[in-house]
């Protein structure tokens, strides 16, 4: 079966290990094992848990301890409404694989993580794109969504907080989307991998899995929890959907690693401390980015409301890929070109990594922009 190449992944694989200033990374600066154990206060006890662990396949659908910890992120979901996956990438792939058949009408926002439109396209679905436009603050136009849904959509795929724009739909907007889906019985898949680090309020916006009977939320340890190395994610949603996902999951997952499952449970049980760190990093770094954008005449942006990324618009007459490659080659700074996420004219920055790298990377980008001027 043919599928389009995953633009962002190909770009990242080509450059992320050789660049000097990585402003393309989308995780909040990752934690070491030592930092995780320290935050959780389990340095003294962890070996007693690990050493007797017999490395079987473990609990197939995820341990009860982990699924309870994940369920506690939702107001209405219980252990049985959760299945554990290989990252959110595994969670999203499983949901699409479970729900989408050839000819099904699938609506996906764009820009977003490419899985949400390229996977259903590869299954022969009738994929309709709901463009998120800068003039709407990169939020969806719900009249347009109604038209695209018609009376026959099977699935609406959204992403909140959004990668790459950092836009954030509030509860009222999510409820409106649920109501539009409900008119034709469509599922709503909301990729919530960046949940928990809103710039304002508690950091948490409501989850689609709590707002709609056919609402499905995917999440993971990678971004707001700074633990991408665990490769651990989940699907939360209606029980019958979780059971249908399990049928597919048996063919490509079996279970996740027992050590990953344990570390993820420990992290979620101590999430307040982890998320406090993540929010401090994202808030302080966004202030750095904001100040830089304000004094850089060639750059403008819609200030992100959550997540770890933003789209920068650049007033330079270069395709985004050329812009990024020239910046990388001359200054060692890595952004992600808009072209690899179907957003030509922009570059994406991931601003939640090491503050010193962010500051130096931005300073070098200013030099690059100054040198481009005739
Ligand atoms: C919106 C979105 N969803 C899912 C993923 C996959 O995340 P992971 O598999 O690391 O949980 C990413 C990673 O960049 C993402 O940005």
């Amino acid at each position: 079966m043919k599928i389009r190449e995953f633009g962002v992944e190909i770009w990242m694989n080509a450059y992320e290990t050789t660049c000097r200033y990585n402003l393309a990374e989308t995780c909040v600066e990752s934690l070491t094992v030592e930092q995780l154990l320290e935050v959780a206060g389990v340095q003294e006890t962890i070996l007693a848990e690990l050493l007797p662990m017999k490395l079987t396949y473990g609990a197939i659908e995820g341990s009860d301890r982990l699924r309870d910890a994940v369920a506690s992120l939702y107001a209405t979901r219980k252990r049985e409404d959760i299945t554990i996956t290989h990252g959110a990438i595994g969670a999203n792939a499983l949901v699409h694989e479970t729900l989408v058949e050839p000819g099904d009408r699938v609506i996906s926002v764009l820009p977003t993580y490419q899985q949400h439109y390229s996977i259903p396209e590869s299954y022969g679905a009738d994929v309709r794109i709901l463009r998120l436009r800068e003039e709407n603050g990169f939020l969806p136009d719900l009249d347009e969504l109604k038209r695209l849904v018609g009376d026959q959509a099977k699935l609406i795929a959204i992403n909140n907080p959004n990668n790459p724009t950092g836009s954030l739909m509030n509860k009222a907007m999510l409820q409106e989307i649920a109501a539009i889906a409900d008119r034709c019985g469509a599922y709503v898949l909301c990729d919530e991998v960046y949940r928990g680090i809103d710039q304002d309020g508690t950091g948490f916006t409501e989850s689609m899995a709590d707002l709609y009977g056919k609402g499905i939320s995917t999440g993971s340890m990678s971004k707001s929890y700074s633990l991408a190395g665990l490769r651990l994610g989940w699907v939360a949603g209606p029980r019958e959907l979780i059971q249908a996902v399990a049928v597919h999951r048996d063919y490509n997952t079996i279970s996740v690693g027992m050590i990953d499952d344990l570390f993820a449970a420990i992290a979620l049980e101590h999430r307040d401390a982890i998320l406090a760190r993540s929010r401090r990093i994202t808030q302080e770094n966004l202030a750095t980015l904001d100040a830089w954008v304000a004094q850089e005449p060639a750059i403008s942006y819609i200030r992100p409301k959550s997540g770890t990324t933003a789209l920068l618009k650049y007033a330079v007459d270069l395709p985004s890929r050329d812009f990024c490659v020239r910046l990388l080659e001359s200054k060692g700074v890595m952004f992600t070109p808009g072209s690899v996420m179907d957003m030509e004219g922009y570059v994406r920055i991931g601003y939640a990594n090491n503050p010193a790298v962010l500051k130096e990377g931005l300073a070098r980008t200013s030099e690059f922009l100054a040198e481009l001027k005739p």
Side-chain angles (χ1 to χ4, degrees):
M1 187 170 64
K2 292 197 171 56
I3 189 163
R4 236 181 108 186
E5 289 179 335
F6 201 143
V8 168
E9 298 303 324
I10 289 173
W11 172 258
M12 300 295 274
N13 295 347
Y15 294 107
E16 78 180 327
T17 52
T18 50
C19 68
R20 285 187 63 199
Y21 303 94
N22 188 344
L23 306 189
E25 173 60 58
T26 58
C27 299
V28 179
E29 187 175 14
S30 298
L31 292 166
T32 62
V33 174
E34 188 174 22
Q35 286 171 320
L36 169 61
L37 300 182
E38 199 178 288
V39 167
V42 297
Q43 302 104 308
E44 307 300 324
T45 52
I46 190 69
L47 277 184
E49 269 196 274
L50 277 177
L51 296 185
M53 187 186 267
K54 195 167 194 172
L55 292 170
T56 64
Y57 283 108
I60 294 304
E61 67 280 26
S63 68
D64 288 351
R65 178 178 175 185
L66 176 59
R67 285 186 301 143
D68 286 347
V70 172
S72 72
L73 298 169
Y74 303 93
T76 60
R77 295 293 164 190
K78 302 280 175 291
R79 180 192 295 173
E80 294 74 20
D81 307 326
I82 311 292
T83 195
I84 303 299
T85 59
H86 184 100
I89 198 167
N92 291 332
L94 274 166
V95 172
H96 284 288
E97 178 182 325
T98 303
L99 291 180
V100 180
E101 293 176 60
D104 280 346
R105 168 88 54 102
V106 175
I107 316 323
S108 170
V109 295
L110 193 154
T112 187
Y113 204 51
Q114 195 183 327
Q115 281 193 301
H116 296 299
Y117 49 97
S118 289
I119 292 182
E121 231 162 54
S122 79
Y123 293 158
D126 169 21
V127 176
R128 307 284 170 107
I129 295 297
L130 178 61
R131 275 261 167 201
L132 306 179
R133 298 194 180 83
E134 192 177 320
E135 60 267 29
N136 299 331
F138 291 120
L139 290 171
D141 174 335
L142 296 187
D143 289 328
E144 198 179 333
L145 176 62
K146 270 184 214 147
R147 280 195 299 279
L148 293 173
V149 166
D151 55 5
Q152 53 167 321
K154 176 81 166 284
L155 174 67
I156 301 172
I158 55 177
N159 175 204
N160 202 44
N162 179 262
N163 168 16
T165 65
S167 68
L168 181 68
M169 292 178 271
N170 62 16
K171 182 180 180 187
M173 183 171 258
L174 294 169
Q175 283 172 322
E176 282 187 69
I177 293 173
I180 293 169
D182 198 29
R183 294 198 311 203
C184 65
Y187 284 93
V188 179
L189 165 59
C190 191
D191 180 332
E192 297 171 2
V193 77
Y194 296 92
R195 186 166 178 243
I197 46 170
D198 296 350
Q199 288 285 324
D200 300 320
T202 61
F204 275 83
T205 292
E206 283 76 6
S207 198
M208 187 48 85
D210 284 327
L211 295 177
Y212 177 42
K214 290 178 114 176
I216 305 161
S217 295
T218 53
S220 89
M221 301 308 298
S222 298
K223 311 294 182 183
S224 9
Y225 298 96
S226 301
L227 294 166
L230 298 182
R231 302 307 306 124
L232 194 132
W234 57 84
V235 183
R239 206 155 299 181
E240 58 285 1
L241 181 274
I242 296 297
Q243 285 162 359
V245 165
V247 173
H248 289 261
R249 187 180 174 281
D250 280 341
Y251 281 97
N252 61 23
T253 306
I254 306 182
S255 58
V256 298
M258 290 178 75
I259 297 174
D260 299 330
D261 182 306
L262 173 66
F263 279 15
I266 290 173
L268 287 175
E269 287 163 4
H270 296 87
R271 64 176 174 268
D272 288 352
I274 294 180
L275 291 176
R277 167 187 176 274
S278 299
R279 292 195 74 198
R280 180 177 47 73
I281 294 174
T282 46
Q283 286 171 355
E284 289 177 6
N285 284 8
L286 183 54
T288 301
L289 175 61
D290 223 23
W292 179 76
V293 171
Q295 56 82 51
E296 189 46 73
I299 301 288
S300 59
Y301 82 154
I302 302 279
R303 191 179 197 272
K305 297 223 162 19
S306 188
T308 60
T309 60
L311 276 188
L312 305 178
K313 197 173 195 170
Y314 56 94
V316 176
D317 190 17
L318 275 180
S320 58
R321 192 184 175 87
D322 293 357
F323 180 98
C324 287
V325 170
R326 281 170 65 169
L327 176 60
L328 259 165
E329 285 172 352
S330 61
K331 303 289 174 188
V333 180
M334 180 173 177
F335 288 117
T336 304
S339 60
V340 301
M341 53 191 92
D342 300 301
M343 289 299 279
E344 188 49 274
Y346 299 89
V347 294
R348 183 185 72 182
I349 183 168
Y351 60 83
N353 237 274
N354 185 294
V357 172
L358 176 67
K359 285 183 186 142
E360 189 58 29
L362 292 176
R364 283 169 173 258
T365 305
S366 287
E367 285 171 19
F368 170 74
L369 289 166
E371 285 163 20
L372 276 181
K373 283 194 195 126

